[in-house]
Amino acid sequence: MTHGVRPDQGPLRVAYLTPTLHAGGAERQMVILAGALPRDLFQVRFLVLSERGPLAEEAEAVGARVDVLGLRQQDCVPLHPRCLTAAARALRRYRTLAAGVDIVDAWLVPAMTFAVLAQPLVRVPILLGGRRSLGDLYRSKPWYRRAAAAAAARRMAAIVANSRAAAAEVIAQDRVQPGRVHVIPNAVLPAASSPSDRLHYRAGWGFSENQLVVGCVANYKPEKGLGLLVDAVDRLREELPQLRVVIVGEGPLRNELEGEIRRRGLEPIVRLHGPEPDARRVYSAFDLFVQASETEGLPNVVLEAAAAGLPIVATAVGGTTEILTADENALLVDSGDAAGLARAIGRMAADPELRERLGRAAREQASDFSAERLVEATASLYLRLAG
């Protein structure tokens, strides 16, 4: 690793400010960095706005301290008078915990907004922000939240985007100067799974080895296109009687998804697995991976599926096309096209050689998204900003 040195200055003290440490793509990247940034150059800690989440223990296991500010989402969304009390309490705690910190790297929009509002009182030397989702994800948000997010982005010393698509949006929509926007793609760690995991999960779902299991790892949210996937599966049920589908995740659409699966009579075919602390273990139980999202920054789950050597069918949205190339290492379809998604799944199901070729190419592609590259680019940016 080719970094500058900080003679007689000690390591840079970096605080990752994040809404939570639940098992999401951005949160996983923070934990990777906390464990891999050189200890002689960086001292990393976490400041969590709302609640710890399951990745907090992983962060502590790699030596990072985790502190919670106590500003819960339910206190402020929707706006409520108790939000002022909760925000004041969180601000006092942030001011104490951020004392002596050199860099606050505020991941995700709520953390960026909080950091900018707190800056007149806290005076952190360097504030960074991140854009790791595309703007269409925010169109349903109230206008004042969108305006606050854009204003916060313009106040940051630098913005890290995890894809070229996200970088272009923060420049065009939030009007951040191009020179302050840096593209650092996500990293993927090798799949932590084994043949015994495949047997374990398939037995739990009630699926046999001669059935073709399609996997999808996604939060049960509107932008993940899970209704589209259910529609595509319904179209294939007669053509592919051995097809089975597992959706790993959790979220507000669970009841709606369960109702749609029940209405279509797909209970024997589609399983809602629920959350998994480390979804990488589940990939070995899949024969094919599908991402049906309407929008993506740079999807970690696609990188994980590729690293596991799975053949992939995905919607050609956002940063997904910066990972996958149609017919080279995946089959890509248009967002919202249930018929196209069904055709692509059917094509994969009917052609084992195609699955083998695309899975092998996907694994090769995943090697470009290494933790070493993430750490090198992030460390270089931190040191450059710190002079």
Side-chain angles (χ1 to χ4, degrees):
M1 207 174 277
T2 56
H3 300 301
V5 296
R6 286 169 52 82
D8 304 323
Q9 293 178 278
L12 272 173
R13 291 159 295 185
V14 180
Y16 287 144
L17 182 64
T18 176
T20 182
L21 279 172
H22 284 295
E27 292 83 356
R28 174 65 63 187
Q29 300 303 303
M30 284 183 262
V31 173
I32 291 173
L33 285 168
L37 283 168
R39 299 295 175 86
D40 59 328
L41 293 177
F42 304 99
Q43 183 183 85
V44 178
R45 68 184 304 176
F46 286 83
L47 301 178
V48 180
L49 285 178
S50 180
E51 55 188 13
R52 284 169 57 90
L55 290 184
E57 291 186 7
E58 290 190 33
E60 290 169 337
V62 299
R65 178 173 170 175
V66 178
D67 289 291
V68 178
L69 303 184
L71 183 58
R72 302 175 305 168
Q73 184 179 25
Q74 56 264 40
D75 290 332
C76 295
V77 180
L79 283 176
H80 191 277
R82 65 172 175 266
C83 183
L84 292 176
T85 302
R89 182 175 61 246
L91 179 59
R92 288 195 299 270
R93 188 157 174 75
Y94 175 63
R95 186 175 185 181
T96 299
L97 295 171
V101 167
D102 300 301
I103 297 174
V104 166
D105 193 346
W107 291 59
L108 306 175
V109 169
M112 283 174 37
T113 306
F114 179 87
V116 165
L117 292 174
Q119 185 64 358
L121 292 176
V122 181
R123 300 287 184 184
V124 174
I126 301 170
L127 281 184
L128 270 73
R131 171 61 80 90
R132 294 171 173 90
S133 299
L134 297 189
D136 49 8
L137 186 63
Y138 305 112
R139 285 177 189 148
S140 61
K141 308 294 184 186
W143 68 267
Y144 57 85
R145 290 184 64 186
R146 299 196 304 271
R154 291 192 294 272
R155 296 286 299 276
M156 296 289 163
I159 293 288
V160 174
N162 63 358
S163 66
R164 296 189 299 274
E169 281 203 353
V170 80
I171 292 168
Q173 296 182 10
D174 295 346
R175 302 192 304 279
V176 176
Q177 296 174 354
R180 290 168 44 221
V181 181
H182 306 265
V183 178
I184 302 179
N186 292 352
V188 60
L189 296 178
S193 60
S194 68
S196 62
D197 286 327
R198 180 179 177 87
L199 296 174
H200 166 75
Y201 284 113
R202 287 205 172 211
W205 300 325
F207 296 160
S208 65
E209 193 57 35
N210 66 345
Q211 290 171 323
L212 186 81
V213 177
V214 173
C216 177
V217 178
N219 291 322
Y220 303 165
K221 293 182 177 180
E223 65 271 13
K224 296 302 181 181
L226 300 179
L228 186 80
L229 176 56
V230 171
D231 189 352
V233 173
D234 195 12
R235 294 167 185 255
L236 291 166
R237 64 195 308 176
E238 293 184 7
E239 175 187 344
L240 298 172
Q242 294 304 312
L243 184 69
R244 298 293 183 269
V245 176
V246 176
I247 305 175
V248 178
E250 193 53 87
L253 288 189
R254 170 177 273 278
N255 290 339
E256 183 177 323
L257 277 171
E258 288 176 340
E260 185 65 12
I261 291 166
R262 189 166 50 250
R263 186 182 69 80
R264 293 175 182 262
L266 292 173
E267 298 100 317
I269 298 174
V270 181
R271 297 280 189 271
L272 297 184
H273 177 81
E276 187 72 28
D278 187 352
R280 291 173 298 168
R281 292 184 57 206
V282 188
Y283 288 91
S284 65
F286 301 151
D287 300 304
L288 170 64
F289 188 85
V290 173
Q291 177 214 335
S293 298
E294 298 173 1
T295 179
E296 287 288 350
L298 195 81
N300 263 32
V301 294
V302 168
L303 287 174
E304 291 172 352
L310 284 171
I312 299 169
V313 174
T315 46
V317 296
T320 300
T321 57
E322 297 174 32
I323 304 171
L324 303 175
T325 302
D327 295 316
E328 288 187 15
N329 49 34
L331 297 183
L332 299 181
V333 302
D334 292 335
S335 172
D337 184 0
L341 186 63
R343 285 193 299 271
I345 294 172
R347 182 183 168 194
M348 283 281 206
D351 193 340
E353 291 184 2
L354 177 66
R355 297 200 302 272
E356 172 65 24
R357 175 175 68 83
L358 294 182
R360 185 170 59 250
R363 180 183 279 121
E364 292 173 0
Q365 177 69 4
S367 65
D368 289 342
F369 296 84
S370 66
E372 290 78 12
R373 289 190 178 189
L374 172 69
V375 170
E376 174 73 22
T378 304
S380 297
L381 176 61
Y382 289 167
L383 291 170
R384 190 161 64 249
L385 290 172

